[in-house]
Each structure stands twice: as C-alpha cells, then as structure tokens.
Amino acid sequence: MERDELKLAEGEAEAPPSPAPREAAAPAWATAAVPAVFVLLWSSAFIAAVLGTDAAPPLLLTFARFAVAGVLLAVIAAVSRSPWPRGRLLVHVVVTGLLMQAVQFGAFYTAIGEGLPGGVVALIQGFNPVLIALLAGFFLGERITRQQWLGFAVGGAGVALAVAGALDFSGSAIVLSFVGLLGLSVGTVYQKRYAQGADVRSSTAVHFLASAPVMGVMTLALEDPEVTDWAAFGGSLAWIVLINSVGTFLLLNFMLKKQAASRVGTLFFLTPAVTALLAWLAIGQTLNWPAVVGLVLGGAGVLLAARK
C-alpha cells in the first residue's frame, strides 16, 4: 500500500505542469484604432500648450510636465514590474528622451510662448515625416517607395493648406520650432536604431525623468518661474501629463515597435488639420476652407504613404 502510494506520488510529481493560459490578444479594431487615437491626442497638445503658456513661462510648464509625468510613469512601470533599461541601453534611452522630450518640447513651448500660434508649430512639426523618411533611409536602410513619396507630397500640401492664413511670424520662434522638429525626428530614428529593446513604460519614464532636470535648470536660468493663473496652469498641466505625456508617447513607442519609422512618421501629416479642427471646437476658431481642404489632402497623403 505504501509502495503504491509512493509510486502515485512520484507519478504526480513527474507529470508535466499544465500550460499557463495565454493572454487574450487585443481586438483587431483596437489595434487599427491606435493611429487615429494617437493623432487626436497628439493634436490636442497644441491647444493645451497655448492655454498653459498663457498662464506660466513655457520652460516652467515643460519642466512641470516632465517631472509629474516621469514620476507617474515610474510608478506605473514599478507596479507592472516593467524591466528597466540598464547599461548601454539606458544611455541610448536617455539620449532618445533628451531629443524627443527636452529638445522638442522645450523648443516648441518656447515658440508658442513667444506668440507663434499652435497651428503654425503643428505645420512645422508636420514636416517630420519627410525628415524621418530621409533619416530612416540613410541610417536604418528603410526603403521609401514612390507611392510613399507621393503620399509625402500630397500630405505636405495638406499640411500647408490646413494652417494657411494671415499670421504674424516671429523669426526666433520659427527657428525654435525647427529645432523642436529636428529633436523629434532625430530622436525617433535614434530610438528605432538603438533603443528598440527597451520596455515602453519604463523607457518613457526615463525619457521624462532625464529631461526634467534639464528643463528645471533652464527655467531657473532663463525665466522668471511664476504662475499667473493657477487654474489654467493646473488644467493645462493635467491634460498635458495624463493625455499627451503618458497616453500619446506610450502609443508612439508602441507603434514604433510594430511599424517602420517612416510609416509612423506619416501620421504627423494629419496633426495640423486636426489641430485646426480642435481649435474650432474647443476655443471657437473658425475652420476656413483651406483647413478643410488640408484635412482631406492630409488624410489622402497618409493613406498613400501608409499603404503596403
């Protein structure tokens, strides 16, 4: 009896464990909706930035955004037990964050703070796909087809029309906007080349935490860090942190893992037209016919550039 029980116990010990249940895959419609959600949320950042820079200096707003978003994402990464980048990968993630966060938004927010309309900043940012395509082709070896170049051309025309109108341009603000564009484009390609293995949650937290001290030093050195309207500042900061900092960059990093950098970059063609539409809905700015035509052309350009 004891031998039978022993054999039974040994048989049970040697039995292979039952396979763990697989995690349910995301529905196809949810994956397909990611680019559209990304464009909508990304475009809303320009409206929030206009409101935020009216209430506080731009670099102070940028510092607050990075500090709060960095801590929030660090908590999310810790709770979800996301692996943190280490060694050389950590260095690449930090460089990516400084380019895509500190350079891009420090320059963009300062340009908006100097009076350059958010739509014009979105227009300059809209050239990101062309720059990414050139950089990705040179550094990553990604092949750009004739159809994609046609999409870039059509989308570029849509970008220009979407924000056409009589605007007062500031020379230094326009230069800063192109600096921000360069930071975004180079950072996107750099991440695709050197930081592909990093976890989305922890790496995005590192982006913000590495950029916050830089912005903190800059706002103390270059600005009078004083908030004039705490309600507007708090509302703008909450939106920028929760929606734009956490939501959009998690989506951006997710798409960069799944698609070629040049294809992800084409989504930025839609930003100016969607920004104009949101400005009309949120703050009552009239959507004129160039913006409508630009929206159509921008969508057509994305369709051409993104199709296989």
Side-chain angles (χ1 to χ4, degrees):
M1 183 69 178
E2 291 179 357
R3 289 180 179 180
D4 293 339
E5 291 177 353
L6 180 60
K7 289 181 180 180
L8 179 60
E10 288 177 350
E12 291 176 351
E14 293 175 358
S18 57
R22 294 182 179 180
E23 294 184 3
W29 65 266
T31 302
V34 168
V37 173
F38 170 79
V39 170
L40 180 64
L41 297 183
W42 187 280
S43 300
S44 70
F46 295 100
I47 309 302
V50 171
L51 299 175
T53 54
D54 284 341
L59 295 181
L60 176 60
L61 177 65
T62 312
F63 163 72
R65 168 183 181 167
F66 292 164
V68 177
V71 172
L72 179 60
L73 270 174
V75 172
I76 293 174
V79 170
S80 61
R81 298 183 179 180
S82 303
W84 289 85
R86 299 178 184 276
R88 183 175 297 180
L89 179 59
L90 175 60
V91 174
H92 290 316
V93 171
V94 169
V95 172
T96 301
L98 292 175
L99 289 169
M100 295 183 69
Q101 303 294 339
V103 175
Q104 180 190 185
F105 288 105
F108 281 162
Y109 282 13
T110 302
I112 291 174
E114 290 186 5
L116 194 65
V120 177
V121 177
L123 168 64
I124 295 174
Q125 190 193 63
F127 288 97
N128 180 51
V130 176
L131 190 53
I132 283 181
L134 294 174
L135 293 172
F138 186 77
F139 291 105
L140 305 181
E142 293 183 5
R143 179 174 174 270
I144 309 301
T145 65
R146 291 182 180 180
Q147 178 174 293
Q148 283 182 301
W149 284 117
L150 177 61
F152 293 155
V154 175
V159 165
L161 284 173
V163 293
L167 298 169
D168 292 330
F169 293 105
S170 167
S172 61
I174 292 177
V175 171
L176 283 169
S177 294
F178 278 103
V179 171
L181 166 65
L182 191 63
L184 172 61
S185 302
V186 175
T188 301
V189 176
Y190 187 94
Q191 173 174 296
K192 191 73 175 178
R193 176 71 180 272
Y194 296 109
Q196 271 293 90
D199 181 85
V200 171
R201 293 155 294 186
S202 59
S203 63
T204 308
V206 172
H207 289 178
F208 292 127
L209 294 175
S211 299
V214 176
M215 290 296 103
V217 171
M218 292 185 67
T219 188
L220 290 174
L222 302 176
E223 296 177 334
D224 179 14
E226 180 181 356
V227 178
T228 58
D229 186 342
W230 279 102
F233 178 78
S236 174
L237 180 62
W239 183 268
I240 289 172
V241 167
L242 296 176
I243 302 301
N244 302 126
S245 295
V246 178
T248 59
F249 273 92
L250 288 176
L251 291 177
L252 177 61
N253 288 338
F254 171 79
M255 289 188 296
L256 286 173
K257 284 180 173 290
K258 301 295 184 181
Q259 301 178 18
S262 57
R263 292 187 64 190
V264 174
T266 59
L267 294 174
F268 290 95
F269 272 137
L270 288 175
T271 302
V274 176
T275 300
L277 179 61
L278 291 177
W280 172 57
L281 294 173
I283 55 181
Q285 292 182 353
T286 304
L287 190 66
N288 53 26
W289 70 265
V292 176
V293 176
L295 179 62
V296 174
L297 286 178
V302 171
L303 180 62
L304 284 172
R307 284 184 63 187
K308 294 183 180 180

